[in-house]
Structures are given as C-alpha cells and as structure tokens.
C-alpha cells in the first residue's frame, strides 16, 4: 500500500492559493474532526503543558453536541477552523449544499459562541475549484497540509518513521481529534515534539503561521 504523507507537488501548483505549508519558519499543529468527548480534553491538557497553540478544524454538528468542549478550545486560546457542518465529501455535493455546509458552520459559531471563523479545511481534504471559490467569496482561507501522519492507524512506529523522514520547519501537520485516535494521540504528539526539538524546529501559533 502506498501512503501519501505529502501531497504531490503538482497539487501545490494547481491549487496555489491554498495554504499547504506555513508562511514562516515554524510548524503548525492542526486537529481535525473535533470536538470529541473521547480526545479533546487529552489534547488540550497536553497542549497547555507544552504551551502550544493549535488550529482545530471542527465539525459543526460536533461543536453543537459538545458545546462546553468547544468553548474550552476557544478559552484556551486555540484557533477554530471550519471543517464543514456535517463532514460530508463536498466533491459529491451540489454547489448550494457545499455553500450551506460551510456557511451553517460559520453561523453556528458566530451565533452560539460569538467567534468569527477565518479558515476552512474540506472534509477528507477533498475539494474542487467550486469549493475554493465559495471559500474565497466568504473571505476565508483554505488550509490543507504538508504532512499527514495517518495518526488514526495508531501505529507509533509508522508515525516515528514519517516524522523523521518528512517533518519540515514549515510543516502544517494534520492530526485527528476523534474517537479513532484516543489511545495514541498523546504518544503521537510526544513523537512530534521530541523530533522537532531534536531537529531544532519550532511550533508556531496559527496567526503567525498562516499570514
Ligand atoms: Zn475530517
């Protein structure tokens, strides 16, 4: 089986106004799919101990279900990104539905939590020019990644190999804040932090990384 830790370089060229890497010399940690009653608190505790600020691409229906956890993300100073309302594959959705998936997330977060969302990441990383246009019409930035670690496979050896081989100073790293990673997410984070310390890399804050 071939694993794609990095998107192929042609993809960077075609979708050049998508953010694939940070705009500075620091790495950015991103967490998709939360908030989750299984993992969010574990992650928040780790990040707080390590004084790391991350970008959480949340799912609207999960934020609605776990409002207190969602509030904790904001109050701990992390940044919230839009990962759609229902986490559907937008490639197969009609244009109006794509727009609704993105806008209804923003509306919920604005109305319930008084928070303005600036970043979008499509579910499964699947998008097309249509989605890209909607995101830019809404004055948001599309953020994908340069390092996908398959953290949900819960294989620490695989993570170590990938981190040693592919981690860069300006990596945008995707991790998952969902029930699939609950047993391994802290190990995964430790591997990333140890490797970045050894390589002399720094983890940055979302605003400085995505200027
Ligand atoms: Zn997702």
């Amino acid at each position: 089986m071939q694993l794609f830790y990095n998107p192929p370089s042609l993809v960077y060229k075609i979708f050049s106004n998508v953010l694939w890497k940070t705009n500075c010399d620091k790495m950015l940690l991103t967490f998709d799919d939360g908030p989750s009653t299984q993992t969010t608190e574990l992650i928040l505790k780790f990040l707080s101990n390590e004084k790391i600020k991350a970008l959480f691409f949340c799912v609207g229906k999960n934020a609605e279900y776990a409002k207190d956890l969602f509030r904790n993300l904001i109050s701990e100073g992390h940044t919230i990104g839009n990962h759609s309302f229902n986490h559907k594959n937008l490639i197969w959705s009609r244009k109006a539905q794509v727009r609704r998936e993105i806008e209804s997330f923003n509306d919920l977060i604005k109305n319930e939590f008084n928070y303005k969302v600036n970043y979008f990441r499509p579910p499964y990383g699947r998008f097309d020019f249509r989605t890209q246009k909607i995101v830019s019409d809404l004055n948001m930035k599309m953020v994908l990644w340069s390092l996908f670690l398959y953290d949900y496979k819960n294989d620490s050896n695989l993570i170590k190999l990938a981190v040693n081989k592919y981690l860069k100073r300006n990596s945008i790293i995707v991790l998952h804040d969902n029930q699939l990673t609950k047993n391994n997410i802290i190990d995964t984070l430790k591997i990333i932090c140890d490797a970045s310390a050894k390589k002399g890399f720094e983890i940055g804050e979302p605003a400085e990384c995505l200027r």
Side-chain angles (χ1 to χ4, degrees):
M1 182 178 59
Q2 176 161 23
L3 299 176
F4 287 103
Y5 292 102
N6 306 113
S9 53
L10 182 64
V11 174
Y12 291 148
K13 279 185 193 144
I14 297 173
F15 295 102
S16 57
N17 53 348
V18 170
L19 295 168
W20 299 97
K21 315 166 195 184
T22 71
N23 289 324
C24 61
D25 263 355
K26 294 181 184 173
M27 310 168 354
L28 177 65
L29 289 185
T30 67
F31 294 88
D32 285 7
D33 302 347
S36 155
T37 54
Q38 312 268 321
T39 41
T40 302
E41 280 177 319
L42 292 173
I43 295 170
L44 281 178
K45 190 158 173 242
F46 181 92
L47 296 179
S48 158
N49 286 338
E50 298 291 324
K51 300 191 171 48
I52 296 170
K53 300 294 182 212
L55 173 50
F56 285 79
F57 283 100
C58 293
V59 173
K61 63 178 180 187
N62 297 347
E64 205 166 43
Y65 176 77
K67 285 184 181 150
D68 287 343
L69 282 177
F70 187 85
R71 272 188 204 101
N72 291 347
L73 292 175
I74 299 175
S75 65
E76 301 249 333
H78 299 291
T79 302
I80 304 299
N82 180 334
H83 196 41
S84 83
F85 201 93
N86 292 297
H87 206 269
K88 285 181 190 150
N89 185 340
L90 301 180
I91 298 272
W92 310 122
S93 304
R94 296 155 57 120
K95 192 176 170 193
Q97 280 175 313
V98 174
R99 202 179 168 98
R100 203 173 324 125
E101 277 291 315
I102 299 172
E103 274 189 312
S104 57
F105 180 97
N106 291 353
D107 292 346
L108 170 76
I109 303 312
K110 180 95 191 57
N111 298 335
E112 284 269 348
F113 307 97
N114 195 25
Y115 186 98
K116 186 177 175 297
V117 184
N118 296 316
Y119 305 109
F120 177 72
R121 174 177 285 161
Y124 313 102
R126 306 290 298 274
F127 68 99
D128 50 22
F129 288 109
R130 234 176 20 158
T131 303
Q132 209 184 0
K133 169 89 169 58
I134 294 169
V135 170
S136 90
D137 287 349
L138 292 170
N139 286 319
M140 300 170 78
K141 286 184 185 167
M142 181 109 87
V143 180
L144 271 288
W145 57 75
S146 53
L147 184 55
F148 191 98
L149 286 172
Y150 298 90
D151 54 332
Y152 48 78
K153 291 180 186 273
N154 294 309
D155 181 342
S156 295
N157 286 326
L158 196 67
I159 305 250
K160 271 182 203 152
L161 287 172
V163 164
N164 285 328
K165 188 159 181 203
Y166 297 107
L167 191 68
K168 297 219 171 77
R169 200 175 280 285
N170 62 353
S171 290
I172 296 180
I173 304 165
V174 192
L175 298 167
H176 291 85
D177 176 14
N178 67 26
Q179 75 281 3
L180 296 177
T181 60
K182 66 178 177 186
N183 295 322
N184 238 40
I185 189 70
I186 298 306
D187 258 13
T188 303
L189 285 166
K190 283 181 183 158
I191 293 169
I192 295 169
C193 288
D194 287 352
S196 64
K198 250 183 227 155
K199 289 170 189 265
F201 297 173
E202 242 185 287
I203 298 174
E205 300 205 2
E208 63 176 334
C209 289
L210 303 175
R211 271 193 295 251

